[in-house]
Amino acid sequence: MKTTKKLTIRDIAGAAGVSPATVSLVLNGKGDISGVTRTRVLEAVARLNYVPRSAKGSGEGGSETLRFLKISKHGHTVNRDHSVFISDYIDGMSAEAIRRNYTLEVVSFEGQSISAIAESLTGAPIRGVIALGTELTEDDIRLIQGVGFPTVFIDTFYDVVDANFVDMNNEDAVYKVLSRFRAHGFERIGFVASHVDTTNFRLRQDAFFKNMARLGLKVREDDVLSIESTHEGAYEDTRMLMEGGLDLADCYFCTNDIIAYGFMKALKEFGVQVPADVSIIGFDNLPQSATTEPPLTTIEVSKRKIGYLAVTILDDLINASENQPSVKMLVGADLVLRASDGRDVPRPAPTRLRVAKQLPAE
Amino acid sequence: MKTTKKLTIRDIAGAAGVSPATVSLVLNGKGDISGVTRTRVLEAVARLNYVPRSAKGSGEGGSETLRFLKISKHGHTVNRDHSVFISDYIDGMSAEAIRRNYTLEVVSFEGQSISAIAESLTGAPIRGVIALGTELTEDDIRLIQGVGFPTVFIDTFYDVVDANFVDMNNEDAVYKVLSRFRAHGFERIGFVASHVDTTNFRLRQDAFFKNMARLGLKVREDDVLSIESTHEGAYEDTRMLMEGGLDLADCYFCTNDIIAYGFMKALKEFGVQVPADVSIIGFDNLPQSATTEPPLTTIEVSKRKIGYLAVTILDDLINASENQPSVKMLVGADLVLRASDGRDVPRPAPTRLRVAKQLPAE
DNA sequence: CTCGCGCTTGTTTACTAAACATGGGGAGGA
DNA sequence: TCCTCCCCATGTTTAGTAAACAAGCGCGAG
């Protein structure tokens, strides 16, 4: 007879209302267990403070663990405003990690040096690393990869760096934005850049110029603005620009949604109507973009897909029997149409003649 | 009441002594079914001559077939000289298709119009398409994709086209070539382009200029040559250039190995020593490159990996429950060092002063 | 104290119950 | 007679368990 002191998996099963086999499957991340049942089991484990009989000190399942490094060097882009997309990345990674019998652990770094981060990996009981590369430089990436674990970087992309990347396809996304503006017949297409230098912001700006050329559109130098990337900073910088007598373009593509919110807020205070006076398209489709005034047309990136593909590529690296060529993946994005880009609200600017262009098939 | 004439899966289940769900799993190759049980079910199916209600006339297993379109529009690059890399693509695709329970069928097209190719797909009993995109234009790609099957294009890559691609990373590969030449201290780095316009050739040429700039190297306009892309054509064109008094650069990166063979053969006939007088690096690592005189330093692309990844992405598309963002993948490559690039054979050109540059870590 | 055996604990395999999705057939209406 | 719509039969999928299996712990005997 077991004592009342020593818990077994059968006690957890009874407490959770499932079979012992199900508890085992949950604890080992195997089988097809629904989220509801999994939660119930894990709650029973926590409540009863169950420790498996064969538990190792702390190496529980460690040899099959993937570590996600959530790295925020300066917090300008990896911050609470963007926690929803970090969460989407994690959802995508977690689902696929579980499917492939890995445990995904998440380790956050805020302000730590990259060498400290690299050092935290040394000797860690993990099989591979997925690193959030938003705020990482090329050298950062080489340093993390130099630790020697199979590694995939997400939310960043560098040419000629021999590493594995999964990132959004900024170029294709910006092409969709600018095609949209061109379809509206806008001639002065502006861009709101960010003071902060991250890879994706830079890629987006490069894509702006490249696609303007590709679409046969001219860029006016003073239609390219640069403002702070926090909501408050974007708002203040835009106010200052407006106070400085900014001559508005027909429309602006903003580097990301946070910048677009601040930009729109300041425009509103100066009596500028969006999209009647100036159209705006953002990038990220944060949840708030559906509820801004007006709701923001924006680019939706499938962050879950990025997370999923990162685990796919990482698993290949882990299981490869020989040296693998690096793989760089770009995940496409969709334009989410809302009110801010001006489709249904004609621009009431009688002092300016708009030349109708041939509209691409839409 | 069902008649004795019309069998259902429930009759088979009864006859085999299993549940209808198990019969379904057996017939669809899913689930974890033991060999004993599977045999029992299949015997009952055969004995009772069961035909599923939704059976198509000749579609036995056909719905799980992937079709590889081997498309040669003009044969300048998709030809016998390159059959080894087509074969590598197929090997990679085939192994992964089998692993995912697909049949890979290969259909060759030589000189046919793209609309005829698209038409051959209409109504075909297949689940998805992988198309060799080497000689395809953007419009070709849109036409094939317009048929409506899940489709992945390999050996090509287009920005802003909303399609799925798996291609070699030309930019990273060319960076390795030029880094190598720079490491040798070469100042006049030449490029041998191809008369034929395919995406990869164009990407390779773009990458040449881009990486020369990135590495702080100057391009001399007359060091960029353009010759025919067949072995014979490359040889003749080079002979003509030499007869026209070509002033040779220190080294040349050739668009592909076939071009490099013809180029080297003609140089040899004019008494030019490779790599003593001029160094050469090719691209593709065809088997012959190991046995040329001298053996050719070249770029090795893992074509099997490309084939493998194409099936991976295609399977995701086929199984997706909702519209998927396009995915564009670039597979890295390795520089295969042989004799042709001049590492161990100093250039005996006393009439020209070579300025030593600081060598990057190698 | 050590060794061997039996039993407990946890895991895995292979199947099914039940829910879900699809399409065929029948009935009704034009 | 033909066409359309709705319902139900058929087949598939999801998620859980029974039962078999594997490993190791604990207890008893020498």
Side-chain angles (χ1 to χ4, degrees):
Chain A
M1 277 304 180
K2 64 182 190 297
T3 66
T4 58
K5 175 173 162 182
K6 179 73 179 185
L7 285 167
T8 71
I9 224 164
R10 288 166 176 82
D11 301 311
I12 306 299
V18 298
S19 71
T22 300
V23 176
S24 179
L25 293 173
V26 169
L27 292 181
N28 290 287
K30 300 190 176 183
D32 305 303
I33 310 293
S34 70
V36 172
T37 302
R38 185 185 300 112
T39 301
R40 211 158 73 229
V41 170
L42 293 175
E43 281 174 345
V45 168
R47 190 171 67 242
L48 300 180
N49 203 25
Y50 167 72
V51 177
R53 185 175 76 168
S54 59
K56 294 144 184 106
S58 62
E60 179 176 323
S63 65
E64 295 292 3
T65 300
L66 309 179
R67 184 175 290 183
F68 175 52
L69 307 180
K70 180 187 166 196
I71 301 169
S72 172
K73 284 176 67 178
H74 45 68
H76 285 117
T77 51
V78 184
N79 52 40
R80 290 174 64 89
D81 286 333
H82 291 92
S83 61
V84 65
F85 76 76
I86 306 289
S87 172
D88 284 342
Y89 282 145
I90 290 173
D91 282 350
M93 287 187 263
S94 178
E96 186 63 12
I98 288 170
R99 210 182 68 82
R100 292 170 184 257
N101 300 321
Y102 290 111
T103 298
L104 181 76
E105 69 183 27
V106 180
V107 184
S108 289
F109 298 94
E110 295 190 22
Q112 280 103 310
S113 71
I114 299 300
S115 55
I117 296 173
E119 203 168 306
S120 75
L121 294 176
T122 309
I126 56 177
R127 296 300 308 279
V129 175
I130 297 172
L132 182 68
T134 318
E135 298 179 3
L136 299 188
T137 64
E138 284 189 40
D139 287 340
D140 294 340
I141 280 164
R142 291 196 180 96
L143 191 52
I144 290 171
Q145 180 143 288
V147 178
F149 285 109
T151 306
V152 175
F153 296 91
I154 64 171
D155 204 51
T156 191
F157 188 105
Y158 285 99
D159 287 327
V160 304
V161 177
D162 225 4
N164 296 281
F165 297 99
V166 186
D167 195 24
M168 66 203 68
N169 192 329
N170 288 288
E171 183 155 335
D172 286 11
V174 174
Y175 181 81
K176 289 182 180 181
V177 170
L178 300 183
S179 296
R180 178 74 177 171
F181 281 147
R182 191 175 69 161
H184 286 324
F186 294 146
E187 298 202 319
R188 280 184 61 189
I189 299 180
F191 177 62
V192 185
S194 160
H195 282 169
V196 179
D197 183 31
T198 71
T199 310
N200 279 324
F201 288 179
R202 199 175 342 106
L203 289 173
R204 237 163 266 168
Q205 179 158 345
D206 292 346
F208 174 77
F209 289 107
K210 195 167 172 187
N211 282 310
M212 287 294 275
R214 180 180 269 128
L215 289 165
L217 302 167
K218 291 192 77 72
V219 185
R220 255 177 72 154
E221 198 170 317
D222 50 344
D223 286 341
V224 179
L225 317 178
S226 183
I227 61 176
E228 195 50 65
S229 65
T230 59
H231 180 265
E232 202 58 34
Y235 163 67
E236 293 291 350
D237 281 357
T238 307
R239 283 191 65 245
M240 284 201 288
L241 287 170
M242 291 302 290
E243 278 163 3
L246 178 64
D247 176 21
L248 286 168
D250 295 336
C251 55
Y252 290 91
F253 165 54
C254 298
T255 294
N256 70 5
D257 281 1
I258 300 289
I259 285 173
Y261 301 156
F263 190 66
M264 289 200 297
K265 181 181 174 186
L267 292 188
K268 186 169 183 179
E269 289 191 359
F270 281 80
V272 179
Q273 304 292 315
V274 175
D277 297 330
V278 57
S279 299
I280 309 284
I281 296 185
F283 197 114
D284 271 340
N285 196 25
L286 295 179
Q288 194 182 344
S289 300
T291 58
T292 52
E293 181 53 51
L296 184 64
T297 293
T298 180
I299 286 285
E300 157 100 41
V301 173
S302 177
K303 311 248 184 202
R304 278 172 169 264
K305 180 86 175 187
I306 289 174
Y308 158 76
L309 291 171
V311 174
T312 302
I313 294 298
L314 185 60
D315 192 33
D316 287 347
L317 288 179
I318 290 167
N319 291 317
S321 54
E322 58 192 1
N323 199 39
Q324 291 289 301
S326 67
V327 173
K328 302 184 182 184
M329 306 177 71
L330 296 168
V331 177
D334 291 318
L335 187 60
V336 179
L337 300 179
R338 294 195 182 102
S340 71
D341 74 302
R343 171 83 191 185
D344 296 327
V345 186
R347 178 111 188 251
T351 58
R352 272 187 292 189
L353 178 65
R354 182 168 305 144
V355 181
K357 299 205 178 203
Q358 183 171 7
L359 303 188
E362 193 162 347
Chain B
M1 271 313 175
K2 65 181 188 297
T3 66
T4 57
K5 175 175 165 183
K6 179 73 179 187
L7 285 166
T8 72
I9 222 163
R10 285 163 178 84
D11 302 312
I12 306 299
V18 298
S19 72
T22 301
V23 176
S24 178
L25 294 172
V26 169
L27 293 180
N28 290 286
K30 299 189 176 183
D32 305 303
I33 310 293
S34 71
V36 172
T37 301
R38 186 186 297 114
T39 301
R40 213 157 73 228
V41 171
L42 294 175
E43 282 175 344
V45 168
R47 191 170 69 241
L48 299 181
N49 203 24
Y50 167 72
V51 177
R53 187 175 73 169
S54 59
K56 293 144 181 104
S58 62
E60 176 175 328
S63 66
E64 296 293 4
T65 301
L66 308 180
R67 183 174 290 182
F68 174 52
L69 306 179
K70 181 188 167 195
I71 301 169
S72 171
K73 283 175 68 178
H74 44 69
H76 285 115
T77 50
V78 183
N79 52 40
R80 290 175 64 89
D81 286 334
H82 291 92
S83 60
V84 66
F85 75 78
I86 306 290
S87 172
D88 284 343
Y89 282 144
I90 290 173
D91 283 350
M93 286 187 262
S94 179
E96 186 64 12
I98 288 170
R99 211 182 66 83
R100 292 170 183 257
N101 299 320
Y102 289 111
T103 299
L104 181 75
E105 69 182 28
V106 180
V107 184
S108 289
F109 298 95
E110 294 189 21
Q112 280 103 307
S113 71
I114 300 298
S115 55
I117 296 173
E119 203 169 307
S120 77
L121 294 176
T122 308
I126 55 177
R127 297 300 308 279
V129 175
I130 297 173
L132 183 67
T134 317
E135 297 178 3
L136 299 187
T137 64
E138 284 189 39
D139 286 339
D140 294 340
I141 280 165
R142 289 196 181 97
L143 191 52
I144 291 173
Q145 181 143 287
V147 179
F149 285 109
T151 306
V152 175
F153 297 90
I154 63 171
D155 204 52
T156 191
F157 189 103
Y158 284 99
D159 288 328
V160 305
V161 177
D162 224 3
N164 297 281
F165 297 100
V166 186
D167 195 24
M168 66 203 68
N169 192 329
N170 289 287
E171 184 155 337
D172 286 11
V174 173
Y175 181 80
K176 289 181 181 183
V177 171
L178 300 182
S179 297
R180 178 74 177 171
F181 281 146
R182 189 174 72 160
H184 287 324
F186 294 146
E187 298 201 318
R188 280 184 61 188
I189 299 179
F191 176 63
V192 186
S194 159
H195 283 169
V196 179
D197 184 32
T198 72
T199 310
N200 278 326
F201 288 179
R202 198 175 343 103
L203 290 173
R204 237 161 267 168
Q205 179 159 343
D206 292 346
F208 174 78
F209 290 107
K210 194 166 171 186
N211 282 310
M212 287 294 275
R214 180 180 269 128
L215 289 164
L217 302 167
K218 290 189 78 70
V219 185
R220 256 176 70 154
E221 198 170 316
D222 50 345
D223 286 341
V224 179
L225 318 178
S226 183
I227 61 176
E228 195 51 66
S229 65
T230 59
H231 181 267
E232 202 59 32
Y235 162 68
E236 293 291 352
D237 281 358
T238 308
R239 281 190 68 245
M240 284 200 288
L241 288 170
M242 292 301 290
E243 278 164 2
L246 177 65
D247 176 24
L248 286 167
D250 294 336
C251 54
Y252 289 92
F253 164 54
C254 297
T255 295
N256 70 4
D257 281 1
I258 299 289
I259 284 172
Y261 301 157
F263 190 67
M264 288 201 296
K265 181 182 176 185
L267 292 188
K268 187 168 182 178
E269 288 189 2
F270 281 79
V272 180
Q273 303 292 314
V274 174
D277 297 330
V278 57
S279 299
I280 309 285
I281 296 184
F283 196 115
D284 272 339
N285 198 25
L286 295 178
Q288 194 181 344
S289 300
T291 58
T292 53
E293 181 54 51
L296 184 64
T297 294
T298 181
I299 286 284
E300 157 99 41
V301 173
S302 178
K303 311 247 185 202
R304 279 170 167 261
K305 180 85 176 185
I306 289 174
Y308 158 77
L309 291 171
V311 173
T312 301
I313 294 297
L314 185 60
D315 192 34
D316 285 348
L317 288 179
I318 290 168
N319 290 318
S321 54
E322 58 191 2
N323 199 40
Q324 291 291 301
S326 67
V327 173
K328 301 185 182 184
M329 308 177 70
L330 296 168
V331 177
D334 291 319
L335 186 61
V336 180
L337 300 179
R338 294 195 182 102
S340 72
D341 74 303
R343 172 80 192 190
D344 297 325
V345 187
R347 178 112 186 251
T351 58
R352 274 187 289 187
L353 178 66
R354 180 168 308 145
V355 181
K357 300 207 177 200
Q358 184 173 5
L359 303 187
E362 191 162 351

